[in-house]
Amino acid sequence: MSEPIKIAAPLTEDVIEKLRAGDKVLITGVIYTARDAAHKRLIALLDEGKALPFDIKGQFIYYVGPTPAKPGAIIGSAGPTTSGRMDAYTPRLIELGLKGMIGKGQRSKEVLDAIKNHKAVYMAAVGGAAALIARSIKKAEIIAYEDLGPEAIRRLEVRDFPAIVANDAFGGDLFEEGVRKYRKVG
Amino acid sequence: MRKVSAEEITKTVRALCISAACDLEPDVVSAVKSAAVKEESPLGKEVLEQIINNFEIAGREHLPMCQDTGIAVFFIEVGRGVQLEFSLEDAVNEGVRQGYRDGYLRKSVCHPLKRTNTGDNTPAIIHTTLVEGDKIKIKIAPKGAGSENMSRLKMLKPAEGVEGIKSFVIETVSVGGGNPCPPIVVGVGVGGSFDKSALLAKKSLLRPVGTPNPDNDLDALEKELLASINALGIGPMGFGGTTTALAVHIETYPCHIASLPVAVNIQCHADRHKEAVI
């Protein structure tokens, strides 16, 4: 297998243009966490015409609800959750400038269209590999919705966070291409 | 009659919650390891190696292998010779409360409509049966939502028979794709009633991975289904590959002459289960 590509977060357009479905990446920089309940609140803010709790332009959202940190630890275990549950909210965030998403599993057609139309990228991390992934998180700070506990929005500083490009900005789809390659039935 | 105290139950449940989240049973670890050897996709192989590496870190550093430490599901067998002078349910829930707090596990249980978190991962799902003897056997299988959400149930027509069962199982795995964190274990409950089939499917997941079904016909059906599922090409995490499932487990029960319930309970690769006997 090829070596992983090192990329910086937040994302820039020239980096997005270089990424293709199936590429392994190591992300270093700042990413934000949000899952079901936080997404619902973000969209409610937009409906009310209010500002989001962080500037979403160029950012990554990592779909994760970590376990509580043990005393002295930065964060608990922190693997990806199923991205499809955020599909209803995602196109609107991409339109506002969200560029990267990290989760697991396939996205809806609406999300894939938004990724293509607005030059974004969706990456998958290995689901369940939560203790391993947590090692790449160097700093974690709750910036909004503390009452949501594991679902609060966190600002994470990551170093060499491992992920795989699942859907690139050109319509490339690892799930579709990978499965087609190994499918042995009609 | 042998007396067992509420404290003993609570203490045992607390320990089971923590160890189930951090230390995977050897049957699952060896199933993933042999899958990593056989996987044809280079990327799939790397994913499986990352999963094994994660199991090792979790066990060594006593961390939850997955951040979704699940809703706590229990199967409890209470010997008829045991005297319980308290609410078994309360004692188990107290153990869950303590285990999820002291083990730094995620509290993932909420009101179904208001979505407010109960804050302590209770209530647990508790299935209790009475058995012979004077012991209490407690089995825990904490269940994450990623795989649970990909589970399905269908009331087939008896005319659909075994072929109908096979296509429903394969369709369920196909629809789930990469969402349930493959490689998965597929639990299938056939027969009984609407509710019983789901319980059979869940219970079948407790059988150690890699052990054959004691019924020859079911064993053959499990092997056939496993081959068909792995021919789907979904692969580790849905990235494509030859390992989509580690095993298929089937449990059956007699059903009404007019019905054929089939439940498919999907389990992710973090197939957590532990048991203790008091």
Side-chain angles (χ1 to χ4, degrees):
Chain A
M1 284 298 293
S2 55
E3 282 304 297
I5 304 165
K6 293 199 175 226
I7 63 167
L11 280 161
T12 54
E13 211 152 284
D14 57 313
V15 170
I16 293 171
E17 281 180 0
K18 279 182 201 134
L19 298 173
R20 293 292 181 278
D23 286 348
K24 288 182 293 176
V25 297
L26 293 172
I27 306 162
T28 297
V30 172
I31 65 178
Y32 291 88
T33 74
R35 40 174 289 157
D36 310 54
H39 271 78
K40 199 174 172 190
R41 290 195 190 178
L42 292 178
I43 297 298
L45 281 179
L46 294 175
D47 285 342
E48 291 164 26
K50 293 182 181 154
L52 298 178
F54 62 100
D55 182 6
I56 204 166
K57 285 196 179 66
Q59 299 298 345
F60 265 108
I61 290 183
Y62 178 26
Y63 305 135
V64 61
T67 57
K70 285 187 178 179
I74 295 162
I75 198 163
S77 296
T81 194
T82 309
S83 310
R85 292 197 318 273
M86 269 51 79
D87 282 353
Y89 310 112
T90 301
R92 193 138 171 221
L93 298 178
I94 292 177
E95 281 163 28
L96 289 172
L98 174 71
K99 286 293 177 195
M101 293 139 279
I102 309 165
K104 68 176 174 82
Q106 303 93 313
R107 309 305 303 262
S108 68
K109 191 185 172 298
E110 290 73 20
V111 173
L112 299 185
D113 287 345
I115 286 173
K116 243 171 92 175
N117 296 339
H118 298 273
K119 282 215 169 122
V121 62
Y122 167 55
M123 300 183 182
V126 174
L132 177 82
I133 291 171
R135 292 181 155 195
S136 64
I137 299 170
K138 303 300 172 194
K139 202 175 160 194
E141 178 196 357
I142 293 179
I143 60 148
Y145 313 142
E146 192 160 6
D147 61 300
L148 293 178
E151 298 208 52
I153 295 185
R154 289 170 170 79
R155 180 185 183 276
L156 304 182
E157 286 181 27
V158 298
R159 191 186 306 144
D160 292 338
F161 180 107
I164 294 151
V165 178
N167 294 96
D168 62 37
F170 306 95
D173 185 335
L174 171 64
F175 294 110
E176 209 187 282
E177 293 156 22
V179 173
R180 202 187 310 130
K181 210 161 150 188
Y182 292 95
R183 194 177 167 88
K184 288 168 185 162
V185 283
Chain B
M1 297 290 276
R2 186 177 153 250
K3 277 192 184 180
V4 171
S5 70
E7 289 69 31
E8 266 178 281
I9 301 279
T10 296
K11 208 176 93 190
T12 306
V13 166
R14 175 189 177 279
L16 283 174
C17 290
I18 299 172
S19 69
C22 306
D23 305 306
L24 208 53
E25 289 291 288
D27 61 311
V28 189
V29 179
S30 68
V32 178
K33 280 186 175 167
S34 61
V37 174
K38 285 184 280 184
E39 175 57 51
E40 289 172 27
S41 152
L43 180 58
K45 211 183 244 298
E46 276 190 49
V47 168
L48 293 171
E49 279 158 8
Q50 216 181 101
I51 289 170
I52 294 163
N53 193 2
N54 182 66
F55 288 159
E56 283 164 4
I57 295 171
R60 199 170 55 232
E61 297 182 14
H62 227 65
L63 293 168
M65 64 194 80
C66 178
Q67 78 289 339
D68 187 351
T69 45
I71 187 164
V73 179
F74 291 92
F75 287 91
I76 304 179
E77 293 171 12
V78 182
R80 289 201 303 137
V82 177
Q83 192 176 345
L84 300 173
E85 292 176 339
F86 54 88
S87 155
L88 179 63
E89 212 164 288
D90 288 352
V92 170
N93 278 322
E94 182 54 30
V96 170
R97 199 169 285 127
Q98 293 181 12
Y100 275 71
R101 178 195 65 205
D102 301 343
Y104 296 90
L105 310 183
R106 199 179 78 184
K107 288 73 175 173
S108 311
V109 176
C110 71
H111 185 280
L113 301 178
K114 294 174 189 150
R115 310 305 295 179
T116 41
N117 199 305
T118 62
D120 57 10
N121 222 55
T122 69
I125 312 286
I126 306 168
H127 304 288
T128 311
T129 45
L130 276 179
V131 297
E132 293 306 312
D134 63 355
K135 301 266 192 295
I136 300 179
K137 189 188 257 186
I138 304 177
K139 293 184 184 179
I140 183 176
K143 195 69 167 69
S147 57
E148 192 76 349
N149 285 348
M150 297 299 124
S151 305
R152 301 197 307 171
L153 193 151
K154 193 174 181 187
M155 303 302 283
L156 298 183
K157 293 185 182 73
E160 292 176 81
V162 177
E163 287 310 310
I165 295 167
K166 285 195 261 185
S167 45
F168 181 62
V169 172
I170 292 165
E171 184 190 291
T172 301
V173 174
S174 270
V175 170
N179 289 324
C181 292
I184 53 175
V185 178
V186 184
V188 185
V190 178
S193 48
F194 181 82
D195 50 322
K196 181 75 176 179
S197 63
L199 191 58
L200 289 171
K202 175 74 80 206
K203 235 177 154 175
S204 77
L205 295 172
L206 293 171
R207 199 174 97 205
V209 173
T211 53
N213 193 309
D215 179 301
N216 286 340
D217 293 339
L218 292 180
D219 190 53
L221 183 57
E222 288 181 358
K223 291 196 166 84
E224 184 191 337
L225 275 170
L226 181 62
S228 306
I229 288 167
N230 285 333
L232 291 170
I234 295 167
M237 290 314 297
F239 301 153
T242 51
T243 321
T244 301
L246 299 170
V248 177
H249 291 173
I250 305 175
E251 283 216 18
T252 64
Y253 198 82
C255 59
H256 192 283
I257 48 173
S259 63
L260 177 53
V262 183
V264 183
N265 196 193
I266 306 284
Q267 169 65 55
C268 64
H269 58 74
D271 181 6
R272 299 164 288 197
H273 51 89
K274 289 275 173 190
E275 62 176 72
V277 177
I278 298 174

